[in-house]
Amino acid sequence: MSKGLYNKLAGQVGEFLVCAELGRRGFIATSFTGNVPEFDLIVANNSLKTLPVQVKTSRGISWPTSASLWINIEIDEENKCQIDGGNYAIPNPDLIYVCVLLAMPDTDQRDRFFILKKSDLQNICADNYREFISKHDWRRPRNFRSLDNRYYASNLEPYENNWKLFSEQLALK
């Protein structure tokens, strides 16, 4: 199986798992299977209040991202380093992200769900990137232009099974 198909299937599985879990919890949820740029699901309560939701799925212990989504980074071509311009004022900071860690098939593992706001994820990703790149004096090993970044299940543990965030966000509408 090609890597692209493998990743696409993981994303679909994650979205359907989140929809199923929300249904178990009394919400209506539907997936758009990757056709909407900013979100993957719409969730509604019995009062017909709705929320968009972004789902990120991993088969490992981390999720890839780009530091440029979260931090204003300038590339200094002359000195071959990066310059931290601070966190971006991101759009939709209250957008709910559900990060799904898929269990391996045919094991006793269970799927794990981490539910947080986009602003929380920004802080995690920005902190992770700064911690990594500062060890290298803001000169990225191998490719000084690379903005590859990761966040890990261990970073998200405070948000594991934080399903109450849906009720809290819908109550604000």
Side-chain angles (χ1 to χ4, degrees):
M1 178 183 317
S2 73
K3 186 175 180 180
L5 177 58
Y6 188 73
N7 292 338
K8 185 71 173 168
L9 287 173
Q12 278 188 326
V13 169
E15 289 176 20
F16 290 130
L17 286 171
V18 173
C19 285
E21 188 60 34
L22 286 164
R24 250 187 265 218
R25 295 169 182 275
F27 295 100
I28 300 162
T30 190
S31 170
F32 292 95
T33 59
N35 293 328
V36 182
E38 286 292 317
F39 58 93
D40 298 310
L41 314 176
I42 289 289
V43 177
N45 64 9
N46 59 359
S47 299
L48 302 182
K49 294 179 181 175
T50 61
L51 288 173
V53 177
Q54 180 66 263
V55 177
K56 297 294 182 184
T57 306
S58 176
R59 294 181 191 267
I61 60 166
S62 68
W63 292 260
T65 187
S66 174
S68 63
L69 294 174
W70 315 107
I71 306 170
N72 181 12
I73 297 177
E74 180 185 335
I75 305 295
D76 181 341
E77 297 285 339
E78 184 177 326
N79 294 308
K80 296 187 178 188
C81 68
Q82 299 178 12
I83 300 167
D84 184 350
N87 286 4
Y88 279 122
I90 55 173
N92 308 307
D94 291 333
L95 177 67
I96 293 178
Y97 270 62
V98 181
C99 300
V100 180
L101 189 59
L102 292 180
M104 294 300 296
D106 304 319
T107 67
D108 291 338
Q109 294 178 335
R110 61 181 177 80
D111 300 311
R112 296 174 68 189
F113 302 92
F114 305 91
I115 301 98
L116 64 164
K117 293 180 187 176
K118 185 178 181 182
S119 59
D120 297 321
L121 187 58
Q122 177 186 32
N123 290 331
I124 290 167
C125 291
D127 289 349
N128 281 1
Y129 194 75
R130 288 183 178 112
E131 181 180 339
F132 166 79
I133 198 78
S134 64
K135 290 177 185 174
H136 301 283
D137 198 29
W138 286 81
R139 285 178 172 76
R140 188 85 194 214
R142 287 188 241 147
N143 178 1
F144 70 93
R145 292 182 192 95
S146 174
L147 298 169
D148 181 57
N149 191 12
R150 299 228 163 234
Y151 54 100
Y152 299 87
S154 59
N155 300 130
L156 302 178
E157 283 177 354
Y159 305 96
E160 189 162 8
N161 294 317
N162 185 28
W163 297 103
K164 69 181 183 336
L165 186 57
F166 285 95
S167 297
E168 292 169 0
Q169 291 287 78
L170 286 165
L172 297 174
K173 293 207 164 245

